[in-house]
């Protein structure tokens, strides 16, 4: 079955700040989006990579993509969910791996686990256990939260393209969903939790950027090709 990686890069990166949205900035000599594309495109089980960008991001996006083979760029929307939906319309049927451009380092093992899990589940997502104590807090700590069975959910998230389109169509939540697993689960689907990776941490705020640079320098993240 055809496997398409759909990378959503249409955000503005407001929490990271800077002149250019984080996914188009360079880290370790390569754009964040370029790293994300390379990690997925080089995987033997991924056939096609497509990219969703913001309405006015053509120029920065093309610079960041630097001639990589991603077909025509797809225009996203105001929320991540809008961008994913816009992308799903444009990709061919088969398996789709929806991935955040803001997660530049994807280890190959995660991709294999995700695709394998689709044999038995409607979807699959990478997760990491939570090591810290969890608590509810405002100005002060209000109470501990039992972390038993609590995980952090990452991307890529794998589904059948049609199943994911149908689940998005059925979504009736009050707010835009922040990931695909929520959408498919709400539609009654069973989504497998496979082992994620610290390499897949999302670049959200400036501290994440410094940490990623340090991890790159120390060769602690999964990096593909030489660019
Ligand atoms: N994204 C998108 N379309 C949007 C919003 C987000 O394609 N309308 C993408 C981002 O480019 C990113 C991923 O979704 O790769 C995860 O989103 P996030 O980390 O929140 O990125 P931003 O929305 O760009 O950042 P912020 O929320 O700080 O503005
Ligand atoms: Mg956002």
């Amino acid at each position: 079955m055809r496997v398409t990686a759909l990378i959503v890069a249409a955000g503005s990166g407001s929490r990271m700040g800077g002149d250019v949205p984080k996914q188009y900035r360079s880290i370790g000599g390569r754009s964040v989006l370029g790293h994300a594309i390379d990690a997925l495109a080089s995987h033997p089980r991924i056939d096609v990579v497509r990219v969703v960008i913001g309405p006015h991001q053509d120029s920065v996006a093309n610079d960041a993509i630097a001639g990589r083979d991603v077909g025509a760029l797809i225009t996203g929307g105001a929320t991540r969910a809008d961008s994913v939906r816009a992308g799903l319309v444009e990709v061919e049927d088969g398996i789709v791996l929806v991935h955040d451009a803001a997660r530049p380092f994807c280890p190959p093992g995660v991709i294999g686990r995700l695709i394998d899990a689709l044999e038995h589940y409607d979807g699959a997502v990478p997760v990491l256990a939570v090591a810290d104590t969890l608590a509810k807090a405002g100005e002060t700590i209000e109470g501990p939260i039992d972390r038993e069975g609590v995980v952090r959910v990452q991307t890529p998230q794998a589904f059948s393209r049609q199943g994911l389109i149908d689940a998005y169509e059925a979504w009736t939540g009050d707010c835009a969903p922040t990931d695909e697993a929520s959408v498919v689960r709400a539609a009654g689907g069973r989504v497998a939790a496979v082992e994620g990776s610290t390499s897949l941490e999302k670049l959200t705020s400036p501290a994440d950027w410094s940490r990623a640079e340090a991890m790159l320098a120390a060769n602690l993240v999964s990096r593909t090709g030489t660019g």
Side-chain angles (χ1 to χ4, degrees), residues 94-150:
I95 290 171
V96 64
L97 266 62
V98 181
H99 187 48
D100 294 334
R103 301 180 194 268
F105 313 116
C106 183
V110 172
I111 295 168
R113 289 194 283 278
L114 291 168
I115 296 173
D116 287 345
L118 290 184
E119 258 180 57
H120 304 287
Y121 297 89
D122 304 305
V125 302
V127 305
L128 278 187
V130 177
D132 296 321
T133 298
L134 293 178
K136 262 215 161 357
E139 192 185 334
T140 56
I141 294 291
E142 299 307 335
I145 292 172
D146 184 3
R147 68 168 184 236
E148 175 73 31
V150 173

Side-chain angles (χ1 to χ4, degrees), residues 11-15 22 80 202:
S12 57
S14 55
R15 285 169 290 181
K22 58 189 179 185
R80 183 185 175 284
K202 186 157 71 71

Side-chain angles (χ1 to χ4, degrees), residues 3-227:
V3 179
T4 302
L6 181 64
I7 302 181
V8 285
S12 57
S14 55
R15 285 169 290 181
M16 184 67 73
D19 299 339
V20 173
K22 58 189 179 185
Q23 65 273 26
Y24 303 128
R25 280 164 57 187
S26 194
I27 186 161
R30 209 189 300 194
S31 69
V32 170
L33 175 58
H35 282 286
I37 294 170
D38 293 344
L40 298 174
S42 65
H43 196 280
R45 295 174 77 178
I46 293 182
D47 300 303
V48 181
V49 177
R50 298 293 302 274
V51 177
V52 181
I53 65 163
H56 308 292
Q57 297 179 341
D58 290 77
S59 162
V60 269
N62 276 310
D63 285 351
I65 291 166
R68 290 175 174 87
D69 180 14
V70 294
L73 296 178
I74 303 163
T75 305
T79 66
R80 183 185 175 284
D82 292 331
S83 297
V84 172
R85 296 174 80 149
L88 287 173
V89 174
E90 299 298 326
V91 308
E92 282 184 43
D93 258 332
I95 290 171
V96 64
L97 266 62
V98 181
H99 187 48
D100 294 334
R103 301 180 194 268
F105 313 116
C106 183
V110 172
I111 295 168
R113 289 194 283 278
L114 291 168
I115 296 173
D116 287 345
L118 290 184
E119 258 180 57
H120 304 287
Y121 297 89
D122 304 305
V125 302
V127 305
L128 278 187
V130 177
D132 296 321
T133 298
L134 293 178
K136 262 215 161 357
E139 192 185 334
T140 56
I141 294 291
E142 299 307 335
I145 292 172
D146 184 3
R147 68 168 184 236
E148 175 73 31
V150 173
V151 292
R152 295 189 290 139
V153 181
Q154 306 178 314
T155 79
Q157 302 198 351
F159 308 89
S160 89
R161 169 189 176 261
Q162 194 55 55
L164 185 53
I165 289 178
D166 293 346
Y168 263 110
E169 224 122 85
W171 176 261
T172 54
D174 291 335
C175 357
T178 56
D179 80 338
E180 287 54 64
S182 315
V183 175
V184 169
R185 213 195 124 261
R190 292 180 71 228
V191 180
V194 310
E195 188 192 344
S197 168
T198 51
S199 287
L200 275 172
E201 303 279 10
K202 186 157 71 71
L203 301 176
T204 303
S205 52
D208 301 324
W209 192 275
S210 323
R211 189 160 34 82
E213 273 182 329
M215 285 172 81
L216 254 179
N219 252 316
L220 291 175
V221 286
S222 175
R223 214 185 342 187
T224 310
T226 48

